[in-house]
Amino acid sequence: MTARTPRAPGRAAIIGGGIAGLATAALLGNEGWSVTVFEARDELGGRAGSWEQDGFRFDTGPSWYLMPEVFEHFFRLLGTTASEQLDLVRLDPAYRVYSDPATGRAPLDVRSGRDAATALFESVEPGAGARLSDYLDSAGDAYVLAVTRFLYDTYETTAGLRDPALLRRLPQLAPLLTRSLASHVDRRFTDPRLRQILGYPAVFLGGSPYGVPSLYHLMSHLDLDDAVYYPRGGFTEIIAAIARLAEASGARIETGARVASIATESGTATGVVLADGRHVDADLVVAAADLHHTETTLLPRELQSYPEEWWKKRSPSPGALLLLLGVEGELPQLAHHTLLFTDDWRANFDDIFGARPRVPDPASLYVCRPSATDPTVAPAGHENLFVLVPVPADPGLGRGGVDGGGDAAIETAADRVIAQLSSWCGVPDLAERIVVRRTIAPGDFAADLGAWRGNALGLAHTLGQSAMFRPRNASRKVDGLAYAGASTLPGIGLPMCLISAELVLKRLRGDNSTGPVAEPPRV
C-alpha cells in the first residue's frame, strides 16, 4: 500500500479501539469511508483505559497531556477544537521531584515557562539558569524541526530527507543523533536533580537517557517551555471524545469483537475474520492493535513484513508495574504529578534494560494524584493515586490483581513501592490509609492488550527505531493493510498515535508531504 496514488473511499475495518484506532476511524469516516472498529475488549481505550471501584475512577495508562497543538490540529481536522471537546486545566506546579532522603536534597517544584524554569535551575546551581535557557532554545528548535520534517512524514519517498534546507543542518544534527541524551545533559549541568529532570523524558519515549539520542532533548521544550495540562474527568475523556467524533463521522464501533485473522487474497487484504466466526469484507484494513500481535498472530508467515526474527533484534519500551490506590484522607505531599528519583540513576536503568534485568529496588517512579486537580475521580475526603514503576519488559514477572490478589512477586514489589512512597514523601501511615488497591504488571499488558513482551508503551525510541527506521504505517507484503499505533511511525504517546492515524489518511490521499494535513476552514 503506497502513499503515491490516492485511494477512493470504500469499506474500512479497523482492528483496535485504542486512541489510534478511534482516531483513524474518525478521520476515515470524515473522508467518506464506511468504517467499522473492532475492539477485542469490552471497553475502549487500549492502554488509555479506565477502572472504577468504590467511587474511585482511575486512568490505567497515559496521564501527561503534552503537545497540545497536536491534539488541537487533530480536532480541527474534524471541524472542532480541543476546548470544545475537553476541559483542560493547566497544572501548577507541572510536577514535583523527590530525591532519596539519604542524599539530603530538598524536593523541587517544577513550574512550566521559561522564566520559572530558569529561575529554579539557577536557585539549585549557579549559572544553570542561563545554560538551561540555551538548552531550551535548542530543544525548541529541535521540536519545530521534528514537527515540520519528521513526525508527519510517511517516508514513502526520501524527498523530505533530501530537502536542501534539512541537509544544510546536518552538521548541527549529527551530534544530536550520535550522542546520548544523558551525555548531552551531563555536559551542561552538575546537580543530580537537574540532570534527572532533563533526562527522565527518555522514559516517555520508552527508553533510557543512556540509550536514546540527544535529539530527544526536544522533550524538555514540552514541560519546561510550554506547559503540562490535565483533561478534567481524566484521560478517558479523550478516548470518549474521539469515539464520539468517530461515530459522528458514521463509524460503527463494536466492543467484545476480537479479530482472529486478517483475510487476504493474492496479497491483498479483503477483510477480517472474527473469533466468533464472522468474516467481514473490507477494501482497507487498518491494524491499530499491537504491531507484533498483528504481524505474528493475525497474518501467515509469508505475509509478515515484521516476522518474529525481526522482533528478536528490536528493543521494547520498559514494562510497567502499576499501582491504582484509593487513599483515605489528603496527601498534600504529592503534586498532581510527582517523580521520585533514585541516587544511583544509571543502576536503576541497568536494572530495567541491562543484561540481568530485575525490578529496581528502590525504584525511580512516577505518581499521578489526579484528585489534586479533579474531585470527580475520588470520593470526598479521599485521594486517587496512580503509581508507575518502570520495570523490565517481561510478562514472566507476573500479573497483578485487586486487593493484593496478584502474583506474590508483584504484590511484594508493590508493597516495597508503597513503603518507598511513604518514606520518601513523608506519609508514614500511607499503607494503613489505602482502601482500594489494584496492581497491573507486564503479564497483564501481554494478556489483556497483546503487548509484545508485556511492554507498556511500544517500540523504544532508540536511534535505530526512530523516524525512517521505525515500522511504516503500511504493510510491505499486503496491499490494503495499514498500521496505526505506538509501534509504528511516528512513535510512542497519545499525540504520536493521533499523528499515526493522520499518516494513514495521508497515504490514502497520496500525500507525500512532510507536514500535517491542511485543516479545513472553520465555519
Side-chain angles (χ1 to χ4, degrees), residues 22-66:
L22 295 172
T24 305
L27 292 176
L28 296 192
N30 195 55
E31 194 86 347
W33 288 79
S34 176
V35 179
T36 304
V37 178
F38 299 99
E39 166 54 45
R41 306 177 78 195
D42 292 331
E43 63 278 342
L44 299 173
R47 284 180 168 93
S50 178
W51 181 68
E52 297 185 29
Q53 180 88 352
D54 297 342
F56 295 89
R57 199 212 56 77
F58 299 91
D59 288 321
T60 60
S63 57
W64 291 71
Y65 191 99
L66 300 169

mmCIF file of all heavy atoms in Angstrom, residues 22-66:
data_model
loop_
_atom_site.group_PDB
_atom_site.id
_atom_site.type_symbol
_atom_site.label_atom_id
_atom_site.label_comp_id
_atom_site.label_asym_id
_atom_site.label_seq_id
_atom_site.Cartn_x
_atom_site.Cartn_y
_atom_site.Cartn_z
ATOM 1 N N LEU A 22 -9.417 4.610 17.078
ATOM 2 C CA LEU A 22 -10.559 5.531 17.073
ATOM 3 C C LEU A 22 -10.257 6.783 16.247
ATOM 4 O O LEU A 22 -11.133 7.282 15.532
ATOM 5 C CB LEU A 22 -10.907 5.916 18.509
ATOM 6 C CG LEU A 22 -11.412 4.776 19.391
ATOM 7 C CD1 LEU A 22 -11.537 5.239 20.844
ATOM 8 C CD2 LEU A 22 -12.753 4.242 18.889
ATOM 9 N N ALA A 23 -9.029 7.302 16.372
ATOM 10 C CA ALA A 23 -8.661 8.490 15.600
ATOM 11 C C ALA A 23 -8.680 8.184 14.111
ATOM 12 O O ALA A 23 -9.137 9.003 13.294
ATOM 13 C CB ALA A 23 -7.281 8.981 16.029
ATOM 14 N N THR A 24 -8.178 7.002 13.731
ATOM 15 C CA THR A 24 -8.215 6.616 12.323
ATOM 16 C C THR A 24 -9.656 6.497 11.848
ATOM 17 O O THR A 24 -9.997 6.945 10.736
ATOM 18 C CB THR A 24 -7.477 5.281 12.119
ATOM 19 O OG1 THR A 24 -6.150 5.382 12.639
ATOM 20 C CG2 THR A 24 -7.392 4.931 10.638
ATOM 21 N N ALA A 25 -10.511 5.920 12.672
ATOM 22 C CA ALA A 25 -11.916 5.786 12.302
ATOM 23 C C ALA A 25 -12.563 7.147 12.071
ATOM 24 O O ALA A 25 -13.319 7.339 11.110
ATOM 25 C CB ALA A 25 -12.669 5.024 13.395
ATOM 26 N N ALA A 26 -12.270 8.100 12.949
ATOM 27 C CA ALA A 26 -12.852 9.438 12.803
ATOM 28 C C ALA A 26 -12.380 10.108 11.521
ATOM 29 O O ALA A 26 -13.177 10.704 10.779
ATOM 30 C CB ALA A 26 -12.486 10.289 14.018
ATOM 31 N N LEU A 27 -11.078 10.018 11.246
ATOM 32 C CA LEU A 27 -10.532 10.672 10.051
ATOM 33 C C LEU A 27 -11.047 10.014 8.773
ATOM 34 O O LEU A 27 -11.401 10.707 7.812
ATOM 35 C CB LEU A 27 -9.009 10.640 10.090
ATOM 36 C CG LEU A 27 -8.336 11.485 11.170
ATOM 37 C CD1 LEU A 27 -6.831 11.268 11.153
ATOM 38 C CD2 LEU A 27 -8.655 12.967 10.988
ATOM 39 N N LEU A 28 -11.092 8.681 8.746
ATOM 40 C CA LEU A 28 -11.555 7.997 7.536
ATOM 41 C C LEU A 28 -13.053 8.181 7.341
ATOM 42 O O LEU A 28 -13.524 8.357 6.213
ATOM 43 C CB LEU A 28 -11.204 6.513 7.597
ATOM 44 C CG LEU A 28 -9.723 6.142 7.630
ATOM 45 C CD1 LEU A 28 -9.535 4.649 7.401
ATOM 46 C CD2 LEU A 28 -8.926 6.939 6.612
ATOM 47 N N GLY A 29 -13.817 8.128 8.435
ATOM 48 C CA GLY A 29 -15.245 8.378 8.304
ATOM 49 C C GLY A 29 -15.518 9.764 7.770
ATOM 50 O O GLY A 29 -16.403 9.955 6.919
ATOM 51 N N ASN A 30 -14.735 10.721 8.244
ATOM 52 C CA ASN A 30 -14.874 12.097 7.776
ATOM 53 C C ASN A 30 -14.500 12.234 6.300
ATOM 54 O O ASN A 30 -14.941 13.156 5.613
ATOM 55 C CB ASN A 30 -13.990 13.013 8.626
ATOM 56 C CG ASN A 30 -14.324 14.475 8.468
ATOM 57 O OD1 ASN A 30 -15.470 14.881 8.656
ATOM 58 N ND2 ASN A 30 -13.334 15.281 8.112
ATOM 59 N N GLU A 31 -13.686 11.287 5.814
ATOM 60 C CA GLU A 31 -13.222 11.296 4.424
ATOM 61 C C GLU A 31 -14.188 10.552 3.499
ATOM 62 O O GLU A 31 -14.003 10.523 2.285
ATOM 63 C CB GLU A 31 -11.832 10.651 4.362
ATOM 64 C CG GLU A 31 -11.070 10.866 3.078
ATOM 65 C CD GLU A 31 -10.286 12.174 3.065
ATOM 66 O OE1 GLU A 31 -10.523 13.025 3.943
ATOM 67 O OE2 GLU A 31 -9.445 12.343 2.182
ATOM 68 N N GLY A 32 -15.217 9.936 4.064
ATOM 69 C CA GLY A 32 -16.193 9.248 3.234
ATOM 70 C C GLY A 32 -16.115 7.735 3.263
ATOM 71 O O GLY A 32 -16.880 7.057 2.563
ATOM 72 N N TRP A 33 -15.203 7.188 4.071
ATOM 73 C CA TRP A 33 -15.114 5.736 4.192
ATOM 74 C C TRP A 33 -16.240 5.194 5.071
ATOM 75 O O TRP A 33 -16.696 5.866 5.999
ATOM 76 C CB TRP A 33 -13.767 5.333 4.809
ATOM 77 C CG TRP A 33 -12.600 5.509 3.882
ATOM 78 C CD1 TRP A 33 -11.955 6.673 3.585
ATOM 79 C CD2 TRP A 33 -11.954 4.485 3.132
ATOM 80 N NE1 TRP A 33 -10.940 6.439 2.693
ATOM 81 C CE2 TRP A 33 -10.910 5.102 2.396
ATOM 82 C CE3 TRP A 33 -12.134 3.104 3.013
ATOM 83 C CZ2 TRP A 33 -10.067 4.382 1.545
ATOM 84 C CZ3 TRP A 33 -11.296 2.392 2.175
ATOM 85 C CH2 TRP A 33 -10.277 3.027 1.441
ATOM 86 N N SER A 34 -16.675 3.985 4.783
ATOM 87 C CA SER A 34 -17.616 3.265 5.630
ATOM 88 C C SER A 34 -16.788 2.436 6.604
ATOM 89 O O SER A 34 -16.152 1.450 6.213
ATOM 90 C CB SER A 34 -18.515 2.358 4.786
ATOM 91 O OG SER A 34 -19.363 1.592 5.606
ATOM 92 N N VAL A 35 -16.784 2.835 7.872
ATOM 93 C CA VAL A 35 -15.804 2.335 8.837
ATOM 94 C C VAL A 35 -16.466 1.506 9.933
ATOM 95 O O VAL A 35 -17.509 1.906 10.469
ATOM 96 C CB VAL A 35 -15.043 3.509 9.488
ATOM 97 C CG1 VAL A 35 -14.041 3.003 10.519
ATOM 98 C CG2 VAL A 35 -14.338 4.354 8.435
ATOM 99 N N THR A 36 -15.831 0.385 10.262
ATOM 100 C CA THR A 36 -16.210 -0.376 11.443
ATOM 101 C C THR A 36 -14.955 -0.626 12.265
ATOM 102 O O THR A 36 -13.922 -1.063 11.734
ATOM 103 C CB THR A 36 -16.858 -1.730 11.085
ATOM 104 O OG1 THR A 36 -17.978 -1.501 10.236
ATOM 105 C CG2 THR A 36 -17.328 -2.442 12.345
ATOM 106 N N VAL A 37 -15.037 -0.336 13.569
ATOM 107 C CA VAL A 37 -13.942 -0.593 14.509
ATOM 108 C C VAL A 37 -14.262 -1.851 15.295
ATOM 109 O O VAL A 37 -15.370 -1.992 15.829
ATOM 110 C CB VAL A 37 -13.755 0.598 15.486
ATOM 111 C CG1 VAL A 37 -12.650 0.294 16.503
ATOM 112 C CG2 VAL A 37 -13.445 1.876 14.723
ATOM 113 N N PHE A 38 -13.284 -2.755 15.382
ATOM 114 C CA PHE A 38 -13.448 -3.986 16.151
ATOM 115 C C PHE A 38 -12.483 -3.962 17.333
ATOM 116 O O PHE A 38 -11.264 -3.993 17.155
ATOM 117 C CB PHE A 38 -13.168 -5.212 15.274
ATOM 118 C CG PHE A 38 -14.102 -5.331 14.100
ATOM 119 C CD1 PHE A 38 -13.711 -4.899 12.832
ATOM 120 C CD2 PHE A 38 -15.377 -5.846 14.257
ATOM 121 C CE1 PHE A 38 -14.566 -4.997 11.746
ATOM 122 C CE2 PHE A 38 -16.252 -5.947 13.181
ATOM 123 C CZ PHE A 38 -15.850 -5.519 11.918
ATOM 124 N N GLU A 39 -13.033 -3.865 18.535
ATOM 125 C CA GLU A 39 -12.242 -3.847 19.759
ATOM 126 C C GLU A 39 -12.471 -5.151 20.512
ATOM 127 O O GLU A 39 -13.605 -5.519 20.812
ATOM 128 C CB GLU A 39 -12.627 -2.648 20.628
ATOM 129 C CG GLU A 39 -12.114 -2.690 22.067
ATOM 130 C CD GLU A 39 -10.610 -2.888 22.168
ATOM 131 O OE1 GLU A 39 -9.870 -2.219 21.411
ATOM 132 O OE2 GLU A 39 -10.177 -3.709 23.001
ATOM 133 N N ALA A 40 -11.376 -5.847 20.829
ATOM 134 C CA ALA A 40 -11.492 -7.160 21.464
ATOM 135 C C ALA A 40 -12.074 -7.090 22.871
ATOM 136 O O ALA A 40 -12.814 -7.978 23.291
ATOM 137 C CB ALA A 40 -10.118 -7.826 21.502
ATOM 138 N N ARG A 41 -11.744 -6.037 23.598
ATOM 139 C CA ARG A 41 -12.187 -5.940 24.989
ATOM 140 C C ARG A 41 -13.587 -5.320 25.055
ATOM 141 O O ARG A 41 -14.123 -4.845 24.053
ATOM 142 C CB ARG A 41 -11.185 -5.116 25.787
ATOM 143 C CG ARG A 41 -9.753 -5.630 25.676
ATOM 144 C CD ARG A 41 -8.784 -4.748 26.407
ATOM 145 N NE ARG A 41 -8.831 -4.990 27.840
ATOM 146 C CZ ARG A 41 -8.305 -4.174 28.743
ATOM 147 N NH1 ARG A 41 -7.735 -3.034 28.375
ATOM 148 N NH2 ARG A 41 -8.354 -4.471 30.025
ATOM 149 N N ASP A 42 -14.130 -5.295 26.251
ATOM 150 C CA ASP A 42 -15.479 -4.769 26.424
ATOM 151 C C ASP A 42 -15.503 -3.254 26.558
ATOM 152 O O ASP A 42 -16.576 -2.648 26.570
ATOM 153 C CB ASP A 42 -16.138 -5.390 27.658
ATOM 154 C CG ASP A 42 -16.424 -6.874 27.473
ATOM 155 O OD1 ASP A 42 -16.637 -7.286 26.315
ATOM 156 O OD2 ASP A 42 -16.421 -7.606 28.471
ATOM 157 N N GLU A 43 -14.331 -2.642 26.701
ATOM 158 C CA GLU A 43 -14.272 -1.197 26.799
ATOM 159 C C GLU A 43 -13.215 -0.663 25.832
ATOM 160 O O GLU A 43 -12.293 -1.374 25.447
ATOM 161 C CB GLU A 43 -13.950 -0.734 28.225
ATOM 162 C CG GLU A 43 -12.594 -1.171 28.754
ATOM 163 C CD GLU A 43 -12.577 -2.589 29.296
ATOM 164 O OE1 GLU A 43 -13.660 -3.144 29.578
ATOM 165 O OE2 GLU A 43 -11.456 -3.144 29.418
ATOM 166 N N LEU A 44 -13.388 0.600 25.449
ATOM 167 C CA LEU A 44 -12.463 1.254 24.529
ATOM 168 C C LEU A 44 -11.277 1.842 25.292
ATOM 169 O O LEU A 44 -11.293 1.966 26.513
ATOM 170 C CB LEU A 44 -13.188 2.366 23.770
ATOM 171 C CG LEU A 44 -14.379 1.941 22.908
ATOM 172 C CD1 LEU A 44 -15.093 3.170 22.346
ATOM 173 C CD2 LEU A 44 -13.929 1.026 21.781
ATOM 174 N N GLY A 45 -10.242 2.201 24.562
ATOM 175 C CA GLY A 45 -9.123 2.922 25.153
ATOM 176 C C GLY A 45 -7.788 2.231 25.047
ATOM 177 O O GLY A 45 -6.752 2.876 25.034
ATOM 178 N N GLY A 46 -7.783 0.883 25.026
ATOM 179 C CA GLY A 46 -6.499 0.188 24.982
ATOM 180 C C GLY A 46 -5.655 0.536 26.189
ATOM 181 O O GLY A 46 -6.106 0.458 27.340
ATOM 182 N N ARG A 47 -4.405 0.952 25.934
ATOM 183 C CA ARG A 47 -3.530 1.355 27.038
ATOM 184 C C ARG A 47 -4.111 2.537 27.811
ATOM 185 O O ARG A 47 -3.840 2.697 28.999
ATOM 186 C CB ARG A 47 -2.146 1.718 26.508
ATOM 187 C CG ARG A 47 -1.281 0.510 26.140
ATOM 188 C CD ARG A 47 0.085 0.972 25.631
ATOM 189 N NE ARG A 47 1.038 -0.110 25.534
ATOM 190 C CZ ARG A 47 1.261 -0.830 24.443
ATOM 191 N NH1 ARG A 47 0.550 -0.574 23.349
ATOM 192 N NH2 ARG A 47 2.170 -1.786 24.430
ATOM 193 N N ALA A 48 -4.881 3.378 27.138
ATOM 194 C CA ALA A 48 -5.510 4.529 27.796
ATOM 195 C C ALA A 48 -6.864 4.118 28.355
ATOM 196 O O ALA A 48 -7.913 4.653 27.990
ATOM 197 C CB ALA A 48 -5.652 5.693 26.814
ATOM 198 N N GLY A 49 -6.827 3.156 29.266
ATOM 199 C CA GLY A 49 -8.057 2.600 29.794
ATOM 200 C C GLY A 49 -8.512 3.279 31.080
ATOM 201 O O GLY A 49 -7.940 4.268 31.540
ATOM 202 N N SER A 50 -9.543 2.719 31.674
ATOM 203 C CA SER A 50 -10.150 3.287 32.878
ATOM 204 C C SER A 50 -10.657 2.147 33.751
ATOM 205 O O SER A 50 -11.076 1.097 33.244
ATOM 206 C CB SER A 50 -11.306 4.217 32.491
ATOM 207 O OG SER A 50 -11.951 4.759 33.625
ATOM 208 N N TRP A 51 -10.585 2.339 35.079
ATOM 209 C CA TRP A 51 -11.075 1.327 36.022
ATOM 210 C C TRP A 51 -11.758 2.029 37.182
ATOM 211 O O TRP A 51 -11.263 3.037 37.684
ATOM 212 C CB TRP A 51 -9.914 0.465 36.522
ATOM 213 C CG TRP A 51 -10.327 -0.620 37.467
ATOM 214 C CD1 TRP A 51 -11.077 -1.719 37.168
ATOM 215 C CD2 TRP A 51 -10.013 -0.723 38.865
ATOM 216 N NE1 TRP A 51 -11.253 -2.508 38.288
ATOM 217 C CE2 TRP A 51 -10.605 -1.923 39.348
ATOM 218 C CE3 TRP A 51 -9.272 0.073 39.753
ATOM 219 C CZ2 TRP A 51 -10.493 -2.338 40.669
ATOM 220 C CZ3 TRP A 51 -9.171 -0.336 41.077
ATOM 221 C CH2 TRP A 51 -9.762 -1.529 41.529
ATOM 222 N N GLU A 52 -12.906 1.511 37.611
ATOM 223 C CA GLU A 52 -13.668 2.113 38.695
ATOM 224 C C GLU A 52 -13.882 1.111 39.822
ATOM 225 O O GLU A 52 -14.115 -0.078 39.579
ATOM 226 C CB GLU A 52 -15.025 2.605 38.184
ATOM 227 C CG GLU A 52 -14.913 3.712 37.144
ATOM 228 C CD GLU A 52 -16.266 4.280 36.746
ATOM 229 O OE1 GLU A 52 -17.190 4.259 37.600
ATOM 230 O OE2 GLU A 52 -16.396 4.744 35.608
ATOM 231 N N GLN A 53 -13.787 1.615 41.040
ATOM 232 C CA GLN A 53 -14.011 0.767 42.212
ATOM 233 C C GLN A 53 -14.378 1.659 43.401
ATOM 234 O O GLN A 53 -13.648 2.605 43.728
ATOM 235 C CB GLN A 53 -12.743 -0.034 42.540
ATOM 236 C CG GLN A 53 -12.851 -0.939 43.742
ATOM 237 C CD GLN A 53 -13.383 -2.328 43.402
ATOM 238 O OE1 GLN A 53 -13.813 -2.556 42.283
ATOM 239 N NE2 GLN A 53 -13.359 -3.231 44.355
ATOM 240 N N ASP A 54 -15.502 1.387 44.033
ATOM 241 C CA ASP A 54 -15.908 2.029 45.296
ATOM 242 C C ASP A 54 -15.846 3.559 45.227
ATOM 243 O O ASP A 54 -15.397 4.217 46.182
ATOM 244 C CB ASP A 54 -15.021 1.533 46.443
ATOM 245 C CG ASP A 54 -15.159 0.045 46.697
ATOM 246 O OD1 ASP A 54 -16.159 -0.543 46.234
ATOM 247 O OD2 ASP A 54 -14.262 -0.540 47.338
ATOM 248 N N GLY A 55 -16.302 4.118 44.107
ATOM 249 C CA GLY A 55 -16.341 5.569 43.968
ATOM 250 C C GLY A 55 -15.067 6.202 43.430
ATOM 251 O O GLY A 55 -15.027 7.415 43.204
ATOM 252 N N PHE A 56 -14.018 5.417 43.224
ATOM 253 C CA PHE A 56 -12.785 5.905 42.607
ATOM 254 C C PHE A 56 -12.820 5.585 41.108
ATOM 255 O O PHE A 56 -13.317 4.530 40.702
ATOM 256 C CB PHE A 56 -11.550 5.218 43.209
ATOM 257 C CG PHE A 56 -11.314 5.534 44.662
ATOM 258 C CD1 PHE A 56 -11.884 4.761 45.661
ATOM 259 C CD2 PHE A 56 -10.500 6.601 45.030
ATOM 260 C CE1 PHE A 56 -11.664 5.034 47.000
ATOM 261 C CE2 PHE A 56 -10.263 6.881 46.363
ATOM 262 C CZ PHE A 56 -10.845 6.103 47.359
ATOM 263 N N ARG A 57 -12.290 6.490 40.293
ATOM 264 C CA ARG A 57 -12.120 6.210 38.865
ATOM 265 C C ARG A 57 -10.661 6.469 38.501
ATOM 266 O O ARG A 57 -10.164 7.593 38.649
ATOM 267 C CB ARG A 57 -13.030 7.069 37.993
ATOM 268 C CG ARG A 57 -13.197 6.482 36.581
ATOM 269 C CD ARG A 57 -13.393 7.535 35.522
ATOM 270 N NE ARG A 57 -12.324 8.514 35.513
ATOM 271 C CZ ARG A 57 -11.109 8.305 34.997
ATOM 272 N NH1 ARG A 57 -10.786 7.144 34.471
ATOM 273 N NH2 ARG A 57 -10.204 9.272 35.019
ATOM 274 N N PHE A 58 -9.991 5.443 38.019
ATOM 275 C CA PHE A 58 -8.568 5.516 37.726
ATOM 276 C C PHE A 58 -8.315 5.464 36.219
ATOM 277 O O PHE A 58 -8.898 4.622 35.523
ATOM 278 C CB PHE A 58 -7.820 4.330 38.349
ATOM 279 C CG PHE A 58 -7.907 4.247 39.849
ATOM 280 C CD1 PHE A 58 -8.923 3.516 40.464
ATOM 281 C CD2 PHE A 58 -6.970 4.880 40.647
ATOM 282 C CE1 PHE A 58 -8.999 3.420 41.841
ATOM 283 C CE2 PHE A 58 -7.045 4.800 42.031
ATOM 284 C CZ PHE A 58 -8.062 4.062 42.630
ATOM 285 N N ASP A 59 -7.447 6.336 35.718
ATOM 286 C CA ASP A 59 -6.844 6.109 34.409
ATOM 287 C C ASP A 59 -5.828 4.992 34.574
ATOM 288 O O ASP A 59 -5.103 4.930 35.572
ATOM 289 C CB ASP A 59 -6.146 7.367 33.896
ATOM 290 C CG ASP A 59 -7.115 8.451 33.463
ATOM 291 O OD1 ASP A 59 -8.154 8.108 32.863
ATOM 292 O OD2 ASP A 59 -6.835 9.637 33.715
ATOM 293 N N THR A 60 -5.744 4.101 33.591
ATOM 294 C CA THR A 60 -4.823 2.972 33.697
ATOM 295 C C THR A 60 -3.649 3.090 32.732
ATOM 296 O O THR A 60 -2.938 2.106 32.500
ATOM 297 C CB THR A 60 -5.555 1.645 33.432
ATOM 298 O OG1 THR A 60 -6.109 1.674 32.104
ATOM 299 C CG2 THR A 60 -6.664 1.434 34.446
ATOM 300 N N GLY A 61 -3.454 4.277 32.175
ATOM 301 C CA GLY A 61 -2.365 4.444 31.222
ATOM 302 C C GLY A 61 -1.868 5.873 31.189
ATOM 303 O O GLY A 61 -1.492 6.428 32.222
ATOM 304 N N PRO A 62 -1.864 6.500 30.007
ATOM 305 C CA PRO A 62 -1.286 7.849 29.866
ATOM 306 C C PRO A 62 -1.911 8.841 30.842
ATOM 307 O O PRO A 62 -3.111 8.780 31.134
ATOM 308 C CB PRO A 62 -1.628 8.224 28.414
ATOM 309 C CG PRO A 62 -1.790 6.912 27.720
ATOM 310 C CD PRO A 62 -2.362 5.977 28.729
ATOM 311 N N SER A 63 -1.066 9.757 31.339
ATOM 312 C CA SER A 63 -1.572 10.748 32.299
ATOM 313 C C SER A 63 -0.934 12.121 32.117
ATOM 314 O O SER A 63 -1.230 13.029 32.889
ATOM 315 C CB SER A 63 -1.340 10.253 33.733
ATOM 316 O OG SER A 63 0.027 9.994 33.966
ATOM 317 N N TRP A 64 -0.053 12.279 31.109
ATOM 318 C CA TRP A 64 0.560 13.585 30.815
ATOM 319 C C TRP A 64 -0.027 14.109 29.509
ATOM 320 O O TRP A 64 0.110 13.465 28.462
ATOM 321 C CB TRP A 64 2.078 13.458 30.672
ATOM 322 C CG TRP A 64 2.806 13.139 31.934
ATOM 323 C CD1 TRP A 64 2.804 11.960 32.610
ATOM 324 C CD2 TRP A 64 3.666 14.021 32.677
ATOM 325 N NE1 TRP A 64 3.593 12.044 33.727
ATOM 326 C CE2 TRP A 64 4.144 13.296 33.790
ATOM 327 C CE3 TRP A 64 4.087 15.348 32.503
ATOM 328 C CZ2 TRP A 64 5.009 13.848 34.722
ATOM 329 C CZ3 TRP A 64 4.943 15.900 33.428
ATOM 330 C CH2 TRP A 64 5.404 15.167 34.532
ATOM 331 N N TYR A 65 -0.650 15.277 29.556
ATOM 332 C CA TYR A 65 -1.197 15.905 28.351
ATOM 333 C C TYR A 65 -0.150 16.899 27.849
ATOM 334 O O TYR A 65 -0.043 18.023 28.339
ATOM 335 C CB TYR A 65 -2.512 16.613 28.674
ATOM 336 C CG TYR A 65 -3.310 17.076 27.466
ATOM 337 C CD1 TYR A 65 -4.379 16.321 26.991
ATOM 338 C CD2 TYR A 65 -3.016 18.268 26.814
ATOM 339 C CE1 TYR A 65 -5.138 16.737 25.905
ATOM 340 C CE2 TYR A 65 -3.764 18.695 25.729
ATOM 341 C CZ TYR A 65 -4.819 17.933 25.280
ATOM 342 O OH TYR A 65 -5.565 18.354 24.206
ATOM 343 N N LEU A 66 0.631 16.448 26.868
ATOM 344 C CA LEU A 66 1.690 17.255 26.269
ATOM 345 C C LEU A 66 1.404 17.436 24.785
ATOM 346 O O LEU A 66 0.514 16.802 24.230
ATOM 347 C CB LEU A 66 3.051 16.573 26.467
ATOM 348 C CG LEU A 66 3.485 16.326 27.922
ATOM 349 C CD1 LEU A 66 4.712 15.418 27.966
ATOM 350 C CD2 LEU A 66 3.768 17.651 28.622
#
